[in-house]
Amino acid sequence: MGGWRDMPAEVGPGAAGCVSPVAAARCSRCRPQALEEQYSPSRWSPRLGSDTVIQAHTAATAAGTRRARASTQTALHVPYGDGDGEKLDIYLPPDPAGTFPVLLYIHGGYWQCLSKEESGFAAPPLVSQGVALVAVGYDTAPRGHMDTMVLQVRRSVVFLVKRFPATRGVYLCGHSAGAHLAAMVLSTDWTEYGVVPDIKGAVLVSGVYDLEPIMHTYVNDALNMSREVACRNSPLLCVPPAAPAGCEVLVAVAQHDSPEFRRQSQEYGQALRAAGWSVSMLDLAGVDHFDIVEKLSEDSYVLTQVILNLISRA
């Protein structure tokens, strides 16, 4: 499968009169149309139209979060920093006084939409099995810069380790842009934070792990990333050696994700393996970029069961 650089441009960079590569990347007339389509997940869903599937996803995750809040013991809007977006929603298991594993859920939305308010939908199946779910809020673009978002998610992990010192391990789960942020957590040099979180597993769902092609799409209109920013925040380019204690990583992709999303997942999984990480790949049939996580509200859903099995093995 070819990479994004092989995709034909509708018009060549600079054809619209842009005098620099950066200007050309931001100009809609200079962008490769094929690349735009590859990084437009809603265009690949066979069940709903492009706009409708996004609206349905937001509605489904928001409704699921409301149900989770109504049926679960929670601590909502817990600040982990001073920023407006630096808050967590914590969904606690039936015995919150005991020790329990903690799963951090990091939402998607292309780093510019959605929030923790739509991120608690997966809590009921986990909480019923004694796992706490924490929905992480962060400052999305244009308010939040890519460097800031990565730093915030890392700091949320540090906060939780200190709040729950007796936790039975920390697990990460991120979707789309959230999978990118979770992968950046895996690349963290924790000596800078004075704490080494016991991250036992990570579930990365339909993620983006190389940000350079994003620079050449509409997504960067809000992010305003330079190539330097994109490179230093690309998990594929900063894979660390596997931690001695070990951390199981599951890289999941949907049947109806675009070929580029599927390629990125494959290449990131291979890069982790080459660095000594324990990696599993999961290609989920019959789902698209959106319902691959929406179904985490269901106890019997295969990815729900995979996550619970991953936690139970630790």
Side-chain angles (χ1 to χ4, degrees):
M1 186 185 298
W4 65 275
R5 287 185 175 86
D6 299 328
M7 293 178 189
E10 290 301 299
V11 292
C18 298
V19 296
S20 73
V22 172
R26 293 174 180 170
C27 175
S28 61
R29 289 178 292 169
C30 292
R31 293 171 181 155
Q33 183 177 344
L35 188 66
E36 294 262 296
E37 291 177 353
Q38 287 286 327
Y39 285 95
S40 300
S42 60
R43 298 188 185 187
W44 297 83
S45 172
R47 61 191 175 98
L48 293 168
S50 183
D51 292 333
T52 309
V53 74
I54 295 174
Q55 295 167 359
H57 177 65
T58 303
T61 53
T65 299
R66 288 193 296 271
R67 289 193 295 271
R69 289 180 176 182
S71 62
T72 306
Q73 183 175 342
T74 60
L76 303 178
H77 319 305
V78 177
Y80 65 87
D82 298 328
D84 291 341
E86 297 179 355
K87 293 182 174 61
L88 307 170
D89 287 345
I90 303 173
Y91 298 78
L92 293 162
D95 181 16
T99 61
F100 45 81
V102 175
L103 183 139
L104 275 73
Y105 181 81
I106 308 169
H107 69 81
Y110 256 160
W111 305 277
Q112 56 197 285
C113 59
L114 298 180
S115 70
K116 69 179 182 61
E117 305 305 312
E118 301 89 23
S119 300
F121 57 93
L126 297 171
V127 165
S128 68
Q129 299 300 314
V131 181
L133 181 137
V134 177
V136 181
Y138 54 92
D139 287 316
T140 53
R143 180 186 183 113
H145 187 271
M146 183 61 70
D147 289 326
T148 303
M149 289 183 263
V150 170
L151 176 61
Q152 286 176 326
V153 174
R154 287 170 170 165
R155 287 175 46 239
S156 75
V157 175
V158 173
F159 173 84
L160 281 167
V161 169
K162 293 178 178 178
R163 182 178 176 105
F164 299 112
T167 177
R168 299 208 318 267
V170 174
Y171 297 82
L172 310 173
C173 180
H175 171 235
S176 196
H180 158 265
L181 293 171
M184 287 302 294
V185 170
L186 296 180
S187 74
T188 305
D189 179 0
W190 294 109
T191 59
E192 301 177 15
Y193 297 85
V195 59
V196 181
D198 183 19
I199 300 177
K200 293 184 178 295
V203 179
L204 310 176
V205 185
S206 296
V208 177
Y209 308 104
D210 177 4
L211 298 185
E212 188 175 356
I214 294 292
M215 286 179 54
H216 304 279
T217 71
Y218 68 96
V219 182
N220 204 38
D221 293 346
L223 298 173
N224 199 30
M225 289 188 297
S226 66
R227 190 173 187 277
E228 180 184 13
V229 170
C231 287
R232 71 167 169 258
N233 290 295
S234 288
L236 188 62
L237 304 182
C238 53
V239 176
C247 168
E248 288 193 59
V249 180
L250 172 69
V251 181
V253 69
Q255 176 185 353
H256 300 297
D257 268 319
S258 75
E260 264 295 279
F261 270 83
R262 294 171 62 82
R263 179 192 65 81
Q264 286 227 13
S265 293
Q266 186 70 29
E267 290 190 1
Y268 183 59
Q270 290 171 346
L272 286 173
R273 274 204 194 103
W277 291 74
S278 174
V279 181
S280 300
M281 306 293 296
L282 181 61
D283 194 333
L284 283 163
V287 291
D288 59 35
H289 186 82
F290 303 96
D291 60 350
I292 189 174
V293 287
E294 290 169 21
K295 292 176 179 288
L296 286 175
S297 62
E298 302 172 9
D299 295 82
S300 60
Y301 177 46
V302 60
L303 189 54
T304 305
Q305 291 301 311
V306 166
I307 291 171
L308 289 170
N309 288 337
L310 172 66
I311 294 172
S312 69
R313 289 198 304 270

